[in-house]
Amino acid sequence: VAYNYEGLFDEKEIVFSLQIPKQTIVFADQETLKITLRNLIDNSIKYTRSKGCLKIYLVGETHDSCKLIVEDDGIGMSEEAIALLTSDHTLSEARRKGFVKGSGIGLQLCQKMIERMRGQFKIESKEGEGTRITLTLMKNYQQANGKN
């Protein structure tokens, strides 16, 4: 997915780092995961200043799951903005309060798609410092399909 963004990284002089071992396997719908990553990368590029940094990497890998991190040093979000953007019924409130520049639906869709694959979606952010989004993805077929 990341190679599609090389021109935008160059244009904004964003330093991009991808550190995911090639042997990493997760049980997820490939297209859903691509859509999610594209949306998160798009947001990072949009909200990261020129000469900023965007990193995608893995942490906390176990037999059953791994955590895929998408992290930038962009403008960040307040706790209130995160709460509004990740709540089912408050997207219009987020838009009204100016937390959303676009439609605002992208993060909500990403969250729902990851949760539908039995994963977890977590946003950590500080205004002026950047955003870190953690996708917990299943590596075990039984867990990914709800068969413990």
Side-chain angles (χ1 to χ4, degrees), residues 8 12 41 43 49 53-54 77 91 115 134:
L8 290 172
K12 282 189 79 172
I41 292 169
N43 284 349
R49 296 173 199 91
C53 182
L54 168 59
M77 294 181 272
L91 186 55
E115 290 171 354
T134 303

Side-chain angles (χ1 to χ4, degrees), residues 1-2 4-5 9 16 18 20 26 28-45 54-58 67-71 106-107 109-111 113-114 117 121 133-135 137:
V1 171
N4 294 325
Y5 293 93
F9 295 144
F16 176 70
L18 177 64
I20 300 174
V26 296
D29 179 77
Q30 184 175 359
E31 289 306 311
T32 299
L33 192 53
K34 280 183 187 179
I35 290 167
T36 300
L37 288 172
R38 283 186 190 125
N39 186 278
L40 297 178
I41 292 169
D42 284 341
N43 284 349
S44 287
I45 291 170
L54 168 59
K55 301 182 278 189
I56 301 175
Y57 57 96
L58 287 180
K67 295 180 187 301
L68 177 66
I69 310 294
V70 178
E71 182 175 7
L107 282 178
L109 288 174
C110 290
Q111 179 180 2
M113 288 189 292
I114 294 300
M117 294 187 299
F121 185 91
I133 297 180
T134 303
L135 308 177
L137 303 169

